[in-house]
Amino acid sequence: MAEYLTRAEIRNYPISTGVAVDLERLVSSSPPNVGKSPGSVKDVAVGQVAYVHSMGAYRRGVITRVGRKLVTVTFTTRGAMIRGGDIRVTSKAAPLDEIRIAPSQSGVE
């Protein structure tokens, strides 16, 4: 489900661990150079930077929920979907084989 947030809200987006992440800084539509799908949900954590395929490309975001079979990644696109000054933030729940984790990116940046 998409929501429209102000720039200040996306720069301090709260996740369930109580930490705020800067979604704007995570914006990327390029796949990771070296990335692999996690082997199990035990290999990912809320707050970890991840890539998920959405809107025709890999999007860089932050993991906001880990289920038994699906991982939810929340991301935004750089101003491409601005409505009245607000920026579109969306989440995608995807199976592990659609998630990519770059080895150099562990934890919230």
Side-chain angles (χ1 to χ4, degrees):
M1 183 169 104
E3 58 185 320
Y4 289 88
L5 302 175
T6 65
R7 188 169 300 272
E9 289 171 324
I10 67 163
R11 287 188 174 161
N12 294 297
Y13 190 84
I15 58 176
S16 62
T17 59
V19 175
V21 295
D22 184 350
L23 289 178
E24 184 176 42
R25 192 165 57 104
L26 296 177
V27 170
S28 172
S29 60
S30 302
N33 291 332
V34 180
K36 63 178 188 167
S37 294
S40 76
V41 293
K42 294 178 183 178
D43 296 335
V44 296
V46 171
Q48 187 172 16
V49 175
Y51 292 81
V52 66
H53 196 269
S54 184
M55 298 184 289
Y58 273 94
R59 304 292 172 180
R60 184 175 166 194
V62 64
I63 295 174
T64 52
R65 184 170 187 265
V66 178
R68 284 190 260 161
K69 295 183 179 182
L70 298 176
V71 175
T72 302
V73 179
T74 300
F75 58 91
T76 185
T77 54
R78 184 186 318 271
M81 299 188 183
I82 295 178
R83 184 190 73 183
D86 293 344
I87 299 170
R88 185 175 187 261
V89 174
T90 192
S91 297
K92 180 175 181 180
L96 288 174
D97 62 348
E98 291 182 21
I99 304 292
R100 299 288 183 264
I101 304 293
S104 62
Q105 297 170 344
S106 58
V108 176
E109 290 185 337

